[in-house]
Amino acid sequence: MVTLLLDSTQLEVVLSGAEKAMAFRKGNVVIERSTITKVQLTDDAWTWLRGVPSPGTHLRGVVAMGTWKSAGGEDFAIIRRRRPSVVIDLDGHPEFQRIILTTRHGLELVQALHLEAADEAVDVVEIAETGAIPTAAPKKPRARKAPAAAPAV
């Protein structure tokens, strides 16, 4: 499983040795925070996969790792089975237009991206646990009006 490290300027997707081998990649994926335009949580990352692996590993429904080329650009994917995932849309990144990752820490990533991160890279789970996570104020229940009496005839 990938480790997500976040600091004040970038998000780093730290890949294990096996993930690097299957993705045909020598290093980790580094994303400048300023290039992140949207982060979405999904239960089925396979629906977000577009194009063909080039280079990459693909076993339908089991694993998809590596760079995926399509008419829309290049995406980077680390997908395992049908597990919760996160889709990160990018604008201005030198390599990719989208990052698709299977991770159980997608919610923590979304929350951590809304916080001011430290200058040094920290795991997003730790940031989400220790930071003041912004939440929406609870809605007040609306008061119902009493039904009007019917006019006397």
Side-chain angles (χ1 to χ4, degrees):
M1 173 154 317
V2 297
T3 301
L4 303 171
L5 299 178
L6 184 69
D7 66 20
S8 60
T9 61
Q10 67 185 17
L11 169 66
E12 183 175 2
V13 180
V14 181
L15 305 173
S16 68
E19 290 166 338
K20 287 179 184 176
M22 293 179 76
F24 295 91
R25 189 165 180 91
K26 292 181 181 177
N28 298 328
V29 177
V30 178
I31 305 162
E32 293 295 321
R33 284 181 79 159
S34 61
T35 64
I36 298 173
T37 58
K38 185 173 20 172
V39 180
Q40 301 174 70
L41 302 177
T42 181
D43 288 331
D44 188 6
W46 295 96
T47 60
W48 292 89
L49 204 55
R50 59 186 180 183
V52 294
S54 180
T57 302
H58 181 226
L59 296 170
R60 178 179 247 142
V62 178
V63 68
M65 294 190 187
T67 301
W68 291 75
K69 292 186 179 182
S70 70
E74 293 186 8
D75 299 343
F76 183 77
I78 298 287
I79 302 173
R80 290 189 179 91
R81 304 224 179 249
R82 300 224 184 270
R83 296 185 179 155
S85 304
V86 63
V87 179
I88 305 168
D89 289 326
L90 307 172
D91 186 22
H93 189 272
E95 284 184 274
F96 306 114
Q97 280 70 42
R98 185 187 296 167
I99 308 289
I100 308 164
L101 304 171
T102 299
T103 178
R104 62 179 151 227
H105 303 299
L107 183 59
E108 288 88 346
L109 173 62
V110 172
Q111 292 170 337
L113 284 169
H114 285 99
L115 299 173
E116 289 297 320
D119 289 335
E120 60 187 49
V122 181
D123 193 333
V124 297
V125 176
E126 292 178 33
I127 294 171
E129 288 175 354
T130 59
I133 300 167
T135 57
K139 292 184 178 180
K140 295 180 183 178
R142 295 189 325 177
R144 295 187 177 203
K145 294 181 181 180
V153 181

